[in-house]
Structure formats: C-alpha cells, structure tokens
Amino acid sequence: MPRLLTTNATITCPHGGLGTTIPSLPKWQINGGYVCVEQDTGTLACPLLNNPCIGYTLQSMGLNATKIDDRKAILVTDFNTTIGKLPLQISDTHQVFDESTPAAIPAGQTAPPPSEEMADLIPPIVVAAPPSTPFKITPPPTPVPVVVTFTLSANHPSQWILILITVPLAPLGRSFDLTNGIPGAVTVVPAGGRWTTPNLTVTVTMTPVFVAGLGPGRHELYLTGVSQRGVSGHDKSIIVETT
C-alpha cells in the first residue's frame, strides 16, 4: 500500500496557514482519516491579510495506480500547490510501507523495486540571492532593474515554478506567474520551468517600471523546485517598496 494522503494530514501554505481538506469520496479511512482523491479541495487559514492563500485543489502526479471509484488517490508525496501556485507542505503520520510504483504495471504482475528517481525523497535545495531588495518609488526610480538569482540543486529534478505574490499596503494584493516571464517587464533566463540538470541557475530581471507598479508594501518572489518523485523545496526573495 502506498502512503496515501488522508484528511488527517498536516497541510500548510508557505506562510504557515493550516489546510483543511474536504473529502469528496468519504469511503476509505486510515487511522480515522478519509483517503483523498484527485480534485478534492481544501481551505487554508493563511495569516496574510491582503493577499492570503485561500485554498487548494489536489492533483495526482500519476505515480501510482491506486484509485477509489475510478478517481486517482493522492500520495503524500504528490506535489501540490495553493490556488495561487505556491507550494504546499504536506505530512501524514499514519504508518504504512511506501511501495509506490508506476501506474503502468499490468494486473497480477509483481512490482519491480522503485527506481532511483522514485526512491529519492530528498527535497530539492533552492537558494535566492539577494534574499531582499529595498526599492523606493518616489522620486521616480532610476533605470536600474531588480535582479534576483535562484540556484537549484537536486539529484532527480523535474520542474520549477516562479510566482510573485504582492503584499501591498492597499487592501488587495495580486499574484503573477513569472515562470515564462512577462514581455517588456520581466525577463527570466532560462524560462519555461523545465529542469533537466542536477544544478540550475535561474535569473530574474524586473524592470523598474514593473516593480514600481506593484505599489508600496512587501512583495514575495517564490521559486519552487520539484523532483521527479514530487518532493519540493523553495526559497523567496522579498522586494520592500517604500514611497
């Protein structure tokens, strides 16, 4: 039996908000918690006031054939994000043996030992530099871009996601998926989110006009690296804007 995700799991957003999963198929229980399936949703009690993480929708990575009523069961190690694409931290403590195997194994055949990629539960290492950048809006900013460099390392990499969350002084915040950059405003090298080498450097260059347009407040630039097993690691760089 693979390590299945249940409603007893501890799920948090990067800001420490605790998640509550709503089971859509409350049939199987492990230690009193219902097994979660693909498309189950949850809410997050995120402490951010102006741009909180509000919830998530669980997705399977397809690494195991376990299903309930023809819907894929979620593994604890399946990579999942908030609605705003920030990484969820997930842990579940019920005691099982993790024998996750590819879904393509024919019925009746014994599963082979897990590959190196599937046995790798070490989170990717992600480091942002600089960790924070001050930015003054008035007088008008000088034409110097804001540059942040992320270094990533993992033995069996898969993908990365770059998200900018604005935490403004005004009531409402915004979020931007910068994985592919924004023409004329944000350049990302390399772009696209593909991660094929153990070590990778991603450089993000934001124009002064784009940064000034975010408004005063604290703005968090997150990069999340994901392994082929679904294990993730992330770091952030903070842009602090003042008038």
Side-chain angles (χ1 to χ4, degrees):
M1 174 67 72
R3 184 175 291 278
L4 299 177
L5 183 68
T6 75
T7 54
N8 286 339
T10 299
I11 299 178
T12 57
C13 71
H15 309 108
L18 186 63
T20 301
T21 304
I22 304 165
S24 58
L25 291 175
K27 293 186 175 182
W28 286 9
Q29 285 186 304
I30 302 175
N31 289 22
Y34 289 107
V35 175
C36 301
V37 296
E38 196 165 43
Q39 299 301 316
D40 277 356
T41 60
T43 58
L44 287 161
C46 181
L48 290 187
L49 297 178
N50 293 344
N51 194 7
C53 302
I54 59 174
Y56 51 88
T57 299
L58 296 174
Q59 302 290 333
S60 168
M61 294 181 67
L63 300 179
N64 192 270
T66 304
K67 293 183 178 181
I68 302 175
D69 286 359
D70 207 35
R71 290 172 63 187
K72 295 178 181 178
I74 303 296
L75 302 183
V76 173
T77 52
D78 280 339
F79 175 65
N80 275 282
T81 69
T82 69
I83 292 173
K85 296 186 179 181
L86 295 184
L88 291 174
Q89 300 299 311
I90 300 175
S91 63
D92 207 336
T93 57
H94 61 79
Q95 296 180 346
V96 299
F97 290 101
D98 186 348
E99 298 172 347
S100 301
T101 56
I105 294 177
Q109 289 193 15
T110 301
S115 64
E116 289 186 9
E117 293 85 350
M118 294 300 101
D120 183 8
L121 297 177
I122 300 175
I125 297 173
V126 182
V127 178
S132 64
T133 301
F135 189 92
K136 193 169 180 62
I137 299 176
T138 56
T142 57
V144 178
V146 173
V147 180
V148 179
T149 299
F150 292 92
T151 56
L152 300 79
S153 61
N155 289 329
H156 303 99
S158 175
Q159 62 173 308
W160 55 267
I161 303 169
L162 182 66
I163 301 294
L164 176 65
I165 299 292
T166 71
V167 188
L169 300 180
L172 297 178
R174 294 172 291 169
S175 65
F176 302 85
D177 186 339
L178 300 182
T179 306
N180 291 296
I182 300 176
V186 181
T187 302
V188 180
V189 180
R194 189 181 181 195
W195 187 10
T196 59
T197 59
N199 298 294
L200 179 68
T201 299
V202 177
T203 302
V204 186
T205 304
M206 294 169 279
T207 66
V209 173
F210 172 78
V211 176
L214 299 176
R218 190 188 76 223
H219 311 300
E220 302 176 344
L221 183 64
Y222 284 86
L223 191 142
T224 303
V226 187
S227 73
Q228 294 179 40
R229 186 64 172 87
V231 183
S232 68
H234 71 273
D235 198 8
K236 68 180 177 181
S237 181
I238 302 173
I239 303 168
V240 181
E241 293 198 42
T242 56
T243 56

